[in-house]
Amino acid sequence: MTAIALIDQFLDAVWVEQGLSENTLSAYSSDLRIFAKWLADKSILEVDTGDLSNFWRVAIKRAIGNRSSARILSICAVFYGLYIRKTV
């Protein structure tokens, strides 16, 4: 499954479970797509803590900003937490 398909599946799940607003879902989608694009050829499901650390380091160098980078990492935690709950 592609990263975009996984992200869309995640957004559907959090919308149903948490009743998030369209604005929140749009922000989640944007943040996860930025992260997936940064991963390039690596599957979003093959990520490890080193990838997250590298993303943080690169994001800061590219002046994405601490708050935006932290928000992206935060939504990644929600994404992977939900994925683990659904697959275990």
Side-chain angles (χ1 to χ4, degrees), residues 6 14 52:
L6 289 166
V14 295
L52 295 169

Side-chain angles (χ1 to χ4, degrees), residues 47-80:
V47 170
D48 59 27
T49 55
D51 295 316
L52 295 169
S53 294
N54 288 337
F55 173 79
W56 179 267
R57 192 171 52 254
V58 169
I60 300 234
K61 285 182 183 176
R62 291 186 181 168
I64 289 177
N66 287 341
R67 290 181 93 185
S68 294
S69 299
R71 190 188 67 237
I72 292 170
L73 290 174
S74 176
I75 191 55
C76 284
V78 175
F79 174 83
Y80 291 112

Side-chain angles (χ1 to χ4, degrees), residues 6-7 10 13-15 19-20 22 28-29 34 37 41 49 53 57 59 61 70 72 78 80 82 85-86:
L6 289 166
I7 291 167
F10 163 76
V14 295
W15 177 74
L20 301 176
E22 262 188 59
Y28 281 12
S29 176
I34 288 168
K37 184 176 179 181
D41 294 332
T49 55
S53 294
R57 192 171 52 254
K61 285 182 183 176
I72 292 170
V78 175
Y80 291 112
L82 181 67
R85 271 198 346 250
K86 297 285 184 183

Side-chain angles (χ1 to χ4, degrees), residues 10-21:
F10 163 76
L11 294 171
D12 288 343
V14 295
W15 177 74
V16 168
E17 287 183 10
Q18 300 175 15
L20 301 176
S21 73

